[in-house]
């Protein structure tokens, strides 16, 4: 069964498909769509992954290499070398061209791969099996040729250890060099509502932008984990009028923003970028902005469920 068919028959709320993009909602969708995409490779797989610890995914990469697919993988070394060491050794021993990410970034936190130069998966989740069952994450399967070309050009530079800049004129959102500006523009563009989920909330520009939205009457709803590292920021946001909830049944690993749901101007972001200084300015990260109504609808349903299942702060 093809990937698009798998996604379309998933239970309500687990995903949404459109012309060139498809939204995955985890843990509802499960990893079957990701595995199916890896298994479909006939020519190439190019993957950049912050943390890889999933025997099923690793085996699919090895099997692809065994049948003649050119498989290249970049794994983070600056922060996750120890956790990635087993996967690195396994892939290397099974014909995969695997390399440690270069030292040019504080971390290579991107979670994405391209299959056959024609379809990409841009994820908020790492391929780390122990987190799948109880973690809120999202992904977009992207078939836009311009996006694919840009992802591949950056991958080539990163795989070769060469410096590169973010390609302009795309729905893609890259770190470093772009994501701070792009996400601030998205937040500032809100006129009626803004939903956000993120694992972190320490970047001052992002916090101030969210506060400004709430202060000028935008309904701002934020879902996070019950991590007391961010109580100062939550208090500032709450004082400005934002609604913050924490501590729901799912661990919030997602990094998403949804602006003006229910209006013609609705737009959403999903990707690997946390709301932190390092993530937005020093790491290698990748996300994208999308506008498809069916994807927006499914994203909002997941965000609303998480918001309703959290505890208001304070």
């Amino acid at each position: 069964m093809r990937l698009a068919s798998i996604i379309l028959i998933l239970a309500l709320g687990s995903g949404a498909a459109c012309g060139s993009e498809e939204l995955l909602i985890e843990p509802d969708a499960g990893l079957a769509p990701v595995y199916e995409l890896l298994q479909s490779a006939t020519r190439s797989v190019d993957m950049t992954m912050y943390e890889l610890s999933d025997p099923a995914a690793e085996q699919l990469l090895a099997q692809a290499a065994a049948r003649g697919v050119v498989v290249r993988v970049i794994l983070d070394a600056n922060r996750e070398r120890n956790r990635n060491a087993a996967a690195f050794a396994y892939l290397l021993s099974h014909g995969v061209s695997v390399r440690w990410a270069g030292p040019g970034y504080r971390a290579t936190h991107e979670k994405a791969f391209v299959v056959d130069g024609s379809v990409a998966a841009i994820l908020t989740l790492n391929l780390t099996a122990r987190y799948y069952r109880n973690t809120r994450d999202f992904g977009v399967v992207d078939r836009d040729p311009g996006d694919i070309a840009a992802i591949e050009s950056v991958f080539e530079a990163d795989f070769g250890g060469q410096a590169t800049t973010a390609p302009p004129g795309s729905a893609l959102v890259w770190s470093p060099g772009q994501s701070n500006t792009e996400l601030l523009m998205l937040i500032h563009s809100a006129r009626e509502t803004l939903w956000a989920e993120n694992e972190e909330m320490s970047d001052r520009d992002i916090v101030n932008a969210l506060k400004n939205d709430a202060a000028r009457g935008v309904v701002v709803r934020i879902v996070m984990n019950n991590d007391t590292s961010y109580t100062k920021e939550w208090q500032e946001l709450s004082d400005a009028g934002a609604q913050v909830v924490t501590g729901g049944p799912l661990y919030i690993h997602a990094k998403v923003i949804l602006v003006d749901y229910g209006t013609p101007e609705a737009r959403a972001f999903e990707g690997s970028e946390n709301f932190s200084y390092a993530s937005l300015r020093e790491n290698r990260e990748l996300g994208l902005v999308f506008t498809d109504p069916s994807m927006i609808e499914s994203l909002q349903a997941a965000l609303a469920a998480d918001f309703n299942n959290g505890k208001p702060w304070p």
Side-chain angles (χ1 to χ4, degrees), residues 71-136:
V71 182
R72 301 184 294 177
V73 176
I74 301 170
L75 297 177
D76 179 73
N78 287 352
R79 294 177 63 88
E80 295 297 326
R81 180 183 287 266
N82 289 342
R83 289 190 178 94
N84 286 330
F88 189 100
Y90 174 82
L91 295 177
L92 190 64
S93 69
H94 285 79
V96 174
S97 296
V98 57
R99 296 187 181 178
W100 292 117
Y105 307 112
R106 182 167 179 176
T108 294
H109 194 248
E110 179 182 341
K111 310 117 176 2
F113 61 90
V114 176
V115 171
D116 291 342
S118 62
V119 55
I122 301 169
L123 310 172
T124 73
L125 63 146
N126 297 298
L127 293 182
T128 310
R130 66 184 180 275
Y131 298 135
Y132 293 156
R133 185 182 298 273
N134 299 311
T135 301
R136 173 65 80 208

Side-chain angles (χ1 to χ4, degrees), residues 204 206-222 231-244 313-314:
R204 289 311 310 172
I206 295 291
V207 172
N208 288 336
L210 293 170
K211 286 166 54 181
N212 289 340
D213 273 9
R216 61 186 172 83
V218 176
V219 178
V220 177
R221 298 186 177 101
I222 299 168
T231 55
K232 175 180 179 293
E233 288 79 9
W234 294 342
Q235 187 64 57
E236 293 181 39
L237 291 162
S238 180
D239 289 345
Q243 302 169 42
V244 180
W313 193 94

Side-chain angles (χ1 to χ4, degrees), residues 249-296:
L250 293 175
Y251 183 86
I252 303 300
H253 188 260
K255 302 92 168 60
V256 294
I257 301 171
L258 172 57
V259 168
D260 291 339
Y261 167 73
T263 76
E265 290 74 34
R267 292 191 296 157
F269 161 84
E270 75 85 36
S272 66
E273 287 93 338
N274 286 309
F275 295 161
S276 72
Y277 185 95
S279 184
L280 299 178
R281 299 168 183 83
E282 299 175 342
N283 291 353
R284 165 62 77 217
E285 310 268 9
L286 175 60
L288 85 166
V289 173
F290 60 88
T291 59
D292 177 76
S294 66
M295 294 169 64
I296 295 285

Side-chain angles (χ1 to χ4, degrees), residues 194-209:
L194 184 146
W195 297 77
E197 283 190 337
N198 209 280
E199 195 177 17
E200 301 181 18
M201 185 64 74
S202 59
D203 184 79
R204 289 311 310 172
D205 289 345
I206 295 291
V207 172
N208 288 336

